[in-house]
Amino acid sequence: MSEKTKLLFVDDDPLFLAAQAAYFGARGFAVSTAEGTEEAIELLERERPDMILVDLMMEHSDSGFTLARRIRRDERLREVPLVMLSGVASATGSGFAGDQEALRSWSQLDEFIDKPVSAKQLLAVVERRLADRALSPKEE
Amino acid sequence: MGTAHLLVIDDEPGIRSGVREILCFEGYSVDVAASGREALELSAARPYDVVFIDYRLPDIDGLTLLQSIHQQRPSAMTCMITAYANIETAIAATRQGIDFFLPKPFTSEDLLGVVDTLLRHKKLRDEAELLRVAHEQSLRELASEKSQTHSLVASLRDGVLVVNRDGEIVLANRAMAELLGTDPTSLEGQSVRCALVDGALAPALSAFDPIDPGSAVFEVDVETRRLFVNVSGFRDGSGTLLGQIVTAVDISAVRRLALEKARFTRTLVHELRAPLGAVKSMIEVVRDKSLGGDLDPYLPFLARADQRLDGLADLVSDLLSLSRLDYEAAASAPNPRLDVAPIIAEVAELWRDRAAQIPVILSLDISEELPRPAIAEDDLRTILTNLLGNAIKYNRPNGSVTLCAQRTTEGLFIAVRDTGIGIAAESLPHLTDEFFREKRQQTRGIDGNGLGLAIVKRLVDRAGGRLEISSLLGQGSEFRLILHG
């Protein structure tokens, strides 16, 4: 790959975004960040990332799902690997955890990851997802 | 029975003294009367067990006297003494309730035999009367106990249904009838299986097996309510099954609390994990030397990580305050009347630096002679710290914050006005909810955990005061605190 792989992180925590930008930036990725749903949508109109990582709980407790659904309905972004990060998924054994499968299929997520997650773990996920995508016959 | 009291009424002095002698000799207590009037006076004064009445008296005839004595002393046994007994007299006397006839002349054995018979009769009759009274009493008690149980059960807000061994409903209250879509009277007498089959309590049917009655416990949603239903058998002292009782308790409030608590925990976990995750990834960046070997590029990141940890520490102490408020719901001792002016000045001083950074002009307008409300000093300090802090943090550069304190008819009035970003109308009702924060472009980057106003609201409530909030988006907010002085 001659061009840098583009990652988009969407999270309402600026420190988390800054850390990911530094970590993945140092590994040769082109990292964009958005601090909320609106900013992400704006950015996605201009860019087509190779992978998107979205925080579940931003403006609302389910903002991440709404954004994911919107991305999946966009012809241009439909095939982009989409990973959801959440601090609440398995937190209490109720609520989101119970409906996780239903929500994942509704929002057509590729993967659900519990926060807090180390940058190293995230890197492994990113590399695996990108490798899957590269092998997929659908990929041009 | 002690000594029996006898009364002999006869106008013949010989009979009076003879009869008295015989009876006294046998140990009876005997009074004698020569006329009807004398007899009635004696009988009015004390009860007699047996009364002998001569049929022919000078003043009153025997039958009339008999009637009067029975009216006076219904429990007295009566015996008529007469030498002129004929069948008409006997029938008339029997109608008046005479117990025995003693024809003249009679022997002492005849007399004593009559007395003995009549006393035994009287004993039996008295015992029967005692039993009847006791029985009536217990019937009355039973009826009132039953009606007490009925009205007790009827007034319960929980549904109650009692079923006998034959599966027949013997008692149902209104709450239960409403659940089953009918009224209590039409339920009573009905088969429980028929009554339950189509309703919300159908899952209870399995407990009413005619051969093997059992128990059932389940929860069911009826419209907006969550009910806890319990079916269990009740037995007599020897363990024989008498019937079954169904109770349906509305646990909606408990469930709401549980859901609220779960939601609180979920939000809390998110609030705790977010800074932990951010700080952890920051540490990874440093260890990874993502920004090179020089330390300088990391310093701004480290400063922000430090801030996040401060926020985490604030969150933990706010949680502690909330939890303390939970178990200290009622203030233990009445608070002393507080001089508030120095506390206002002190809290304002703590915020001066932060105000200057934005910058926001912070001014105080405190009247002389403020009322002294009964509130704990720490509580007021926490309230003011939060209100002033919010007014400064959610302000705009070159804005202002005014704290005004004065006496009103209600007591102490404190208003904190700001020229800040304002609060959306739809957010106002949620402002004092735990963890509620307005997430907008303008609030981004402002530190806070959404617990401050929740704590303020509860402290104000605890002091018996009032918190009012009004705001215009883009223009500013006003928080008014009223504490009775």
Side-chain angles (χ1 to χ4, degrees), chain A residues 12-16 18-20 22-23 26-27 35-36 39 55 57-60 86-88 90-92 94-96 114-120, chain B residues 262 265-267 269-271 273-282 284-285 287-291 300-302 304-306 308 437 439 441 444-445:
Chain A
D12 61 348
D13 191 322
L15 184 60
F16 180 81
Q20 302 314 329
Y23 188 88
R27 277 174 175 65
E35 275 193 44
E39 202 178 316
D55 183 37
M57 219 162 157
M58 292 181 289
E59 301 88 351
H60 304 287
S86 166
V88 291
S90 63
T92 59
S94 65
F96 288 114
D114 264 349
K115 264 185 170 181
V117 59
S118 72
K120 201 184 284 179
Chain B
T265 309
R266 237 179 6 244
T267 315
V269 167
H270 178 268
E271 295 300 311
R273 276 184 170 173
L276 282 177
V279 171
K280 189 175 162 59
S281 41
M282 217 36 256
E284 277 185 295
V285 167
R287 282 173 58 178
D288 187 58
K289 296 199 174 91
S290 299
L291 302 176
F301 286 99
L302 290 176
R304 281 162 76 181
D306 199 28
R308 296 303 301 273
R437 291 198 77 198
K439 290 192 179 171
Q441 188 70 39
R444 185 175 295 168

Side-chain angles (χ1 to χ4, degrees), chain B residues 159-177:
Chain B
V160 176
L161 186 80
V162 182
V163 176
N164 68 14
R165 247 182 318 190
D166 302 324
E168 185 186 299
I169 297 170
V170 290
L171 181 62
N173 67 357
R174 178 150 298 282
M176 181 59 87

Side-chain angles (χ1 to χ4, degrees), chain A residues 21-37:
Chain A
Y23 188 88
F24 282 89
R27 277 174 175 65
F29 291 91
V31 181
S32 317
T33 60
E35 275 193 44
T37 312

Side-chain angles (χ1 to χ4, degrees), chain B residues 30-110:
Chain B
V30 182
D31 289 326
V32 293
S35 68
R37 184 169 305 155
E38 199 184 336
L40 286 172
E41 277 168 19
L42 285 168
S43 166
R46 64 177 298 183
Y48 292 98
D49 296 306
V50 180
V51 180
F52 290 93
I53 304 169
D54 183 18
Y55 187 66
R56 295 224 169 147
L57 289 167
D59 53 347
I60 308 171
D61 82 279
L63 285 180
T64 309
L65 181 61
L66 177 66
Q67 199 177 353
S68 303
I69 285 184
H70 271 158
Q71 271 167 11
Q72 273 182 341
R73 303 288 177 189
S75 73
M77 302 301 286
T78 50
C79 176
M80 191 147 279
I81 310 167
T82 177
Y84 312 96
N86 59 34
I87 191 74
E88 285 77 24
T89 316
I91 289 171
T94 308
R95 284 217 181 106
Q96 295 294 337
I98 194 84
D99 296 296
F100 219 91
F101 273 97
L102 184 60
K104 281 181 192 173
F106 49 83
T107 65
S108 62
E109 281 81 28
D110 290 340

Side-chain angles (χ1 to χ4, degrees), chain B residues 175-186:
Chain B
M176 181 59 87
E178 271 166 17
L179 280 177
L180 299 173
T182 179
D183 58 279
T185 45
S186 68

